[in-house]
Amino acid sequence: GDALSIALATVGDMTPYQWFNVVSSLGYVLFTATTSTVTMLVPAIIFLRPVSANLYARCTSWVFACWWTSCLFITERLNGVKVRVTGDALPLNAPLLIMSNHKCNLDWMFLWSSAIRTGSMFHVGVFKAVAKSEIRVIPIFGWGCKLNGFAYVRRRWSSDASHLTSWIRSQIRRRLDANWTLIFPEGTRYTDRNKERSNQSCAKDGLEPMAGEILRPRTKGLALLLRESAKGGGYYRKIVDMTIQYTDDAGKPLKGAALGTRCFGQLAKGELPVATCHVHFDVFSAKDVPAGEDEDEVEAWVWKRWRTKAAMLEACAAAGRFEGVKEWPTSGSTVPLLAQTALRCFFVAQGLCCVGAACASTAFGAYAACAAVGLAVIAQADPAWW
């Protein structure tokens, strides 16, 4: 909510070119997200969900894959951010558990960028994040993420444990071939204040603080997902450690302060200070990762990975990139302009049809209003099995 408010507040003193950028980015996102929810996602709930949860999931994944791919125009073309992807290839058509450091609010957008560089646009839409519950009440965006199967947590383990358990068990029952779960063990994005709290927490528990712009990982949620996966016959085929960093034109890492909430306003105007986003993947077989029965064992493994991650980020600060790692063949490429433009035109066209129908038909307007109320109720209730 704060992010959207700040993004909207940046339009006060802008040039015509900046206005054009805001309309083609923020305007596009708001317009197409709202209308495609009414024309595609709600009909999927009505007609597909009662028939087959798997068919519904596949349909909504395609909708999100197409829309999110169209939105990559904003980061990669309007703002000119290059995406460098290194490390192990991400297996397709297999459930993955992805853990990542949380640099800023844009991190998951660059997971979309990485996913499309696997060569499969469908996999842009198969990821589901474990996210803070405040997101679920954001109109359209929070509702849409819930419809795509996000797991919302309240950061109170007494209630989150049962909710997350029910959520992962529902995922396992469906046995979807492509299902990527993204979790940020740090629990929040990097800020100087959060770094201070992280260091205080480490000191309190007699642990050495993490070096650089990285926070202490919290592993209860991850341990629970690993444990339930093992009970479900090894649901997650691979465990993925994702490391993300942003550099400027000079190849210097951007400080967390430069990527705070205000980055949404910069993104909308085409003035994001990021020149390159570096994404690195280390993929592990499930048998090489603690199964989750012993939470201390999971914590030790994650701490070891986070120390490695901190060293990688430190080396990136010196070299301007992750070095000594294999670069993906598609790293540095751009999303095909023709396909992206076609998707943007499609979503704008369906949006105009939606608005036209709402203006011409009282019944359709009533349907849209009822849909909004229904989505708000679903998001507020936040059923774990969705």
Side-chain angles (χ1 to χ4, degrees):
D2 290 341
L4 183 59
S5 299
I6 291 176
L8 292 171
T10 62
V11 302
D13 186 20
M14 298 193 306
T15 65
Y17 177 69
Q18 289 174 321
W19 271 109
F20 174 80
N21 286 346
V22 168
V23 171
S24 63
S25 58
L26 184 60
Y28 171 82
V29 168
L30 292 173
F31 178 67
T32 59
T34 302
T35 54
S36 60
T37 297
V38 173
T39 61
M40 293 184 234
L41 296 182
V42 173
I45 295 173
I46 297 172
F47 297 109
L48 298 182
R49 178 81 195 189
V51 176
S52 168
N54 281 18
L55 181 60
Y56 165 83
R58 190 164 185 83
C59 177
T60 54
S61 289
W62 265 115
V63 172
F64 278 92
C66 292
W67 187 72
W68 281 334
T69 298
S70 77
C71 290
L72 292 180
F73 173 91
I74 301 169
T75 51
E76 299 186 24
R77 295 193 185 278
L78 182 63
N79 285 275
V81 179
K82 293 181 174 59
V83 181
R84 181 173 184 256
V85 190
T86 58
D88 300 323
L90 295 179
L92 302 180
N93 298 315
L96 306 179
L97 177 55
I98 304 172
M99 62 180 190
S100 176
N101 61 308
H102 199 0
K103 181 77 173 182
C104 73
N105 289 318
L106 302 178
D107 292 343
W108 50 11
M109 292 187 72
F110 289 100
L111 178 57
W112 307 343
S113 291
S114 301
I116 200 166
R117 284 167 173 79
T118 63
S120 171
M121 187 175 73
F122 173 66
H123 283 76
V124 177
V126 301
F127 94 89
K128 300 166 176 59
V130 178
K132 60 183 180 181
S133 64
E134 292 88 342
I135 294 175
R136 81 186 195 282
V137 296
I138 300 176
I140 304 302
F141 300 103
W143 303 349
C145 289
K146 181 61 189 177
L147 297 186
N148 201 37
F150 275 40
Y152 290 125
V153 293
R154 292 164 173 76
R155 301 180 191 178
R156 294 193 303 270
W157 190 243
S158 57
S159 59
D160 288 340
S162 59
H163 184 80
L164 197 56
T165 299
S166 298
W167 177 84
I168 182 57
R169 287 178 180 175
S170 71
Q171 300 297 312
I172 292 172
R173 282 194 298 271
R174 293 173 194 171
R175 289 289 172 183
L176 295 171
D177 291 335
N179 192 4
W180 295 359
T181 301
L182 173 65
I183 186 170
F184 296 108
E186 293 167 331
T188 187
R189 63 182 174 85
Y190 182 91
T191 65
D192 291 339
R193 177 58 183 148
N194 286 336
K195 178 64 174 178
E196 182 182 345
R197 290 171 178 164
S198 174
N199 289 348
Q200 290 172 349
S201 174
C202 288
K204 179 182 177 181
D205 293 336
L207 301 169
E208 182 182 352
M210 293 285 173
E213 293 201 343
I214 194 168
L215 305 176
R216 175 182 181 174
R218 302 291 183 171
T219 57
K220 283 187 176 182
L222 181 65
L224 186 151
L225 295 177
L226 289 170
R227 183 166 59 251
E228 291 298 326
S229 173
K231 289 179 180 178
Y235 175 67
Y236 290 119
R237 299 295 185 267
K238 303 289 183 181
I239 313 303
V240 181
D241 184 6
M242 170 178 156
T243 304
I244 191 165
Q245 179 62 290
Y246 303 90
T247 55
D248 60 19
D249 289 323
K252 300 297 182 184
L254 285 158
K255 297 291 185 182
L259 294 170
T261 306
R262 64 176 181 172
C263 71
F264 284 103
Q266 296 169 324
L267 183 72
K269 291 189 291 184
E271 298 174 354
L272 197 67
V274 178
T276 305
C277 176
H278 306 264
V279 186
H280 179 80
F281 295 103
D282 288 306
V283 178
F284 299 89
S285 173
K287 64 182 177 60
D288 297 325
V289 176
E293 290 296 339
D294 186 342
E295 291 188 4
D296 290 338
E297 189 179 2
V298 173
E299 183 177 32
W301 183 80
V302 173
W303 267 82
K304 183 178 179 180
R305 293 305 311 165
W306 247 244
R307 297 290 186 195
T308 301
K309 196 184 296 286
M312 284 187 66
L313 294 172
E314 188 176 6
C316 182
R321 59 195 291 150
F322 295 136
E323 290 197 313
V325 292
K326 182 180 179 181
E327 195 157 352
W328 284 18
T330 52
S331 174
S333 63
T334 57
V335 180
L337 179 60
L338 183 60
Q340 198 169 54
T341 302
L343 287 172
R344 285 171 64 84
C345 289
F346 167 76
F347 279 105
V348 170
Q350 67 79 33
L352 293 174
C353 290
C354 179
V355 172
C359 293
S361 169
T362 304
F364 188 87
Y367 152 73
C370 290
V373 172
L375 294 177
V377 170
I378 291 173
Q380 185 64 38
D382 192 20
W385 46 264
W386 191 271

